Amino acid sequence: MCKFYVYSGLICTEGEFWKDQRSLVHKWLRDMGMIKFGIKRELMQNRIMEGIDLCIQEIEKLQSHKINPLNILMDTVGNIVNDFVFGMKYEWNSDTWKYLKHLQEEGVKLVGIHASANFLPILRFLPSNRRNMEFILTGKAATHKLYDAIVDNCERALDTSTEYRDCILKRFLLEKRDREQSHDELGKNCSREQLNHLLADMFGASLDTTLCTLRWYLLLIAIHHECQDKIYEEMRNYGIRERYLTDDIESLPYLKASIAESMRLKTVVPCGIPHGNTQQHTTLDGYFIPKNSMILPLQYAIHMNENLWPQPQTFNPNRFIDEDGKFFTSPNFIPFQTGKRMCLGEELAKMFLNLFAANILLNFNIKLGQDKDELDLSGICGLALSPPEYCLIFEKR
Ligand code: HEM
């Protein structure tokens, strides 16, 4: 067994342990408002809007200048995620937050699925791969130390019945206490080690994917400038004036279509997350797959298949609009994957994307701050597919 193998968290676990942890997190997120309708959904949207309001204010300060919106998005999306996961937010200029951002940015570049050591494990002994592994493991140890202080703080709040914001951390600690009190043998799944890995998984799974998707979206919408007026007009027709607060399933079909088209064209998890057939040999579509193979679901290939998506390289939101002008998706659109292991946070991610995109476009007219031909739109592939560095100009509407 590889000495780096860790059986904790959610993304890298399997079997009964994974089932238990996935169903807990899913239940907690639903209780916190990750549902399609109802008052709890509004509570969750309000928490997201706290970050979006700040994002708009920050962009406003720099309007009409050429800016790379990466930092503003990272700080605002990051703090919304911190709020849901840890029940706290960082000062943007705090050293801890700067360090965590650095780890996240570098880490996702290093753990690319395409990395050669994934296919030839012997290569993990190469000095460059050892250095990368060391960076990741040192970062993990430092992160867990930071988490320890946050967890202690939350424990103290629970012991003294002090208010603490609803979050994954708080719910995990309450579940642990419940299981211990009822001598439930599943209590063993709630160790401190597991908590640290779960928190890191939830932070990482939410932040990088959402951030990359938003960054691609702003870039594509700046390039395809004509879509912005259509979205703006749609919002005005829905009576939305200053803030788009409560996203519901039926509203703003063209906005949703433009986001979906951006996610199809720039699939931010192009190779999914690796899975495997650990139990037995199998056959898929006539191909023999020996036991213990690594299986990569190539979402990119599905989203670029010209039999499913005519002229797949063209940005065309109308693919997602039906004859009645309503937004619809097809089974061939799977940015969140499909099946038992599909993204746990799909509904939350959609709230993030719809609210961020709508509110930014409601406030600003976005132009590309550089020549389009200077940009390599093929993207940079790490764990997620990031856009190239780019500059935009946000003009207040
Ligand atoms: C646009 C944003 C997002 C995209 C494109 C995305 C996409 C994905 C994909 C493709 C997977 C792999 C599924 C598989 O292995 O088959 C995944 C897994 C996962 N996602 Fe997301 N995701 C996004 C946002 C989020 C958010 C906001 C959360 C927070 C709740 C989240 C939590 C997770 C978790 C926990 C898993 C692992 C599930 C498991 O292994 O059981 N994701 N996501």
Side-chain angles (χ1 to χ4, degrees):
M1 186 191 293
C2 167
K3 74 173 180 169
F4 299 123
Y5 182 73
V6 181
Y7 195 77
S8 302
L10 196 103
I11 301 170
C12 297
T13 57
E14 58 187 50
E16 291 304 314
F17 181 80
W18 162 77
K19 252 191 220 167
D20 176 44
Q21 297 294 300
R22 178 163 171 129
S23 74
L24 282 177
V25 177
H26 195 236
K27 179 180 174 311
W28 297 335
L29 286 171
R30 288 180 57 81
D31 284 349
M32 285 161 68
M34 197 184 72
I35 45 176
K36 289 196 192 296
F37 306 98
I39 190 82
K40 282 187 191 165
R41 181 178 168 100
E42 282 177 32
L43 290 176
M44 186 165 247
Q45 292 185 155
N46 288 343
R47 287 174 83 169
I48 298 174
M49 283 305 294
E50 285 174 23
I52 293 178
D53 287 340
L54 273 177
C55 177
I56 304 288
Q57 281 168 27
E58 287 304 305
I59 297 178
E60 229 159 35
K61 287 182 198 160
L62 298 165
Q63 61 173 302
S64 306
H65 289 83
K66 285 184 189 176
I67 58 164
N68 179 347
L70 171 59
N71 263 330
I72 297 178
L73 290 173
M74 178 92 169
D75 288 337
T76 46
V77 177
N79 256 347
I80 304 173
V81 172
N82 283 325
D83 184 25
F84 284 125
V85 178
F86 304 97
M88 49 86 69
K89 297 175 187 176
Y90 289 97
E91 291 292 329
W92 290 358
N93 56 5
S94 82
D95 288 341
T96 312
W97 179 232
K98 283 187 196 155
Y99 176 64
L100 288 172
K101 283 196 295 186
H102 165 69
L103 280 185
Q104 173 80 6
E105 275 166 347
E106 291 308 308
V108 292
K109 282 184 210 154
L110 298 180
V111 286
I113 285 155
H114 59 286
S116 48
N118 274 343
F119 303 97
L120 285 174
I122 188 86
L123 297 180
R124 71 185 185 277
F125 297 113
L126 283 179
S128 59
N129 282 335
R130 290 189 79 94
R131 266 197 307 277
N132 290 349
M133 212 50 173
E134 247 170 65
F135 176 86
I136 291 169
L137 290 176
T138 313
K140 180 181 112 166
T143 315
H144 284 195
K145 221 168 154 190
L146 290 170
Y147 290 179
D148 279 342
I150 303 171
V151 174
D152 288 345
N153 196 20
C154 186
E155 291 263 28
R156 262 195 306 279
L158 292 178
D159 289 341
T160 53
S161 306
T162 311
E163 210 175 303
Y164 197 93
R165 273 169 87 88
D166 198 0
C167 60
I168 301 285
L169 163 59
K170 180 175 170 184
R171 289 188 176 251
F172 185 99
L173 292 177
L174 288 171
E175 181 68 27
K176 177 181 159 71
R177 289 175 182 207
D178 262 11
R179 287 182 177 187
E180 277 166 5
Q181 266 167 19
S182 58
H183 302 290
D184 185 336
E185 67 159 85
L186 288 178
K188 67 179 187 311
N189 292 352
C190 296
S191 67
R192 188 72 169 241
E193 175 76 1
Q194 166 58 9
L195 172 58
N196 281 343
H197 281 95
L198 185 68
L199 294 171
D201 275 7
M202 294 309 297
F203 177 78
S206 315
L207 181 56
D208 196 40
T209 45
T210 309
L211 197 61
C212 277
T213 307
L214 273 173
R215 289 174 63 212
W216 274 119
Y217 181 71
L218 294 182
L219 175 58
L220 290 172
I221 212 80
I223 294 173
H224 301 279
H225 193 258
E226 67 289 350
C227 297
Q228 293 183 43
D229 290 338
K230 226 171 152 176
I231 295 168
Y232 188 71
E233 201 183 304
E234 182 180 72
M235 290 196 276
R236 303 294 282 187
N237 290 342
Y238 269 85
I240 302 160
R241 291 289 176 264
E242 280 171 18
R243 278 171 99 223
Y244 180 56
L245 277 177
T246 43
D247 176 54
D248 64 62
I249 308 297
E250 294 290 320
S251 62
L252 307 184
Y254 193 75
L255 171 91
K256 285 174 187 156
S258 65
I259 297 172
E261 177 63 347
S262 153
M263 293 176 86
R264 180 198 66 80
L265 191 59
K266 297 298 169 192
T267 306
V268 299
V269 194
C271 321
I273 289 185
H275 293 300
N277 52 334
T278 55
Q279 302 296 313
Q280 56 192 29
H281 305 312
T282 190
T283 308
L284 187 64
D285 206 16
Y287 291 95
F288 176 69
I289 304 177
K291 185 176 162 183
N292 282 329
S293 299
M294 191 207 288
I295 300 169
L296 295 176
L298 200 53
Q299 280 153 258
Y300 172 85
I302 298 169
H303 290 167
M304 282 295 143
N305 183 331
E306 57 190 3
N307 297 323
L308 307 173
W309 309 96
Q311 296 182 304
Q313 299 287 354
T314 307
F315 180 81
N316 174 14
N318 287 320
R319 300 175 198 275
F320 292 93
I321 300 283
D322 71 10
E323 285 165 2
D324 302 323
K326 291 197 170 136
F327 171 64
F328 80 104
T329 58
S330 115
N332 305 317
F333 177 62
I334 51 163
F336 299 98
Q337 260 298 345
T338 168
K340 284 186 195 164
R341 296 292 302 229
M342 75 174 287
C343 177
L344 183 66
E346 176 179 359
E347 201 51 44
L348 178 60
K350 285 182 189 162
M351 280 189 223
F352 268 105
L353 300 174
N354 295 343
L355 290 171
F356 261 95
N359 283 291
I360 292 177
L361 292 175
L362 199 55
N363 278 277
F364 303 102
N365 180 8
I366 308 173
K367 289 184 181 154
L368 203 56
Q370 66 199 98
D371 192 344
K372 177 177 169 265
D373 297 336
E374 288 169 12
L375 294 166
D376 176 1
L377 292 179
S378 51
I380 304 155
C381 201
L383 194 57
L385 182 77
S386 319
E389 297 280 313
Y390 60 77
C391 283
L392 300 180
I393 301 170
F394 292 82
E395 283 170 354
K396 188 79 183 157
R397 282 210 183 251

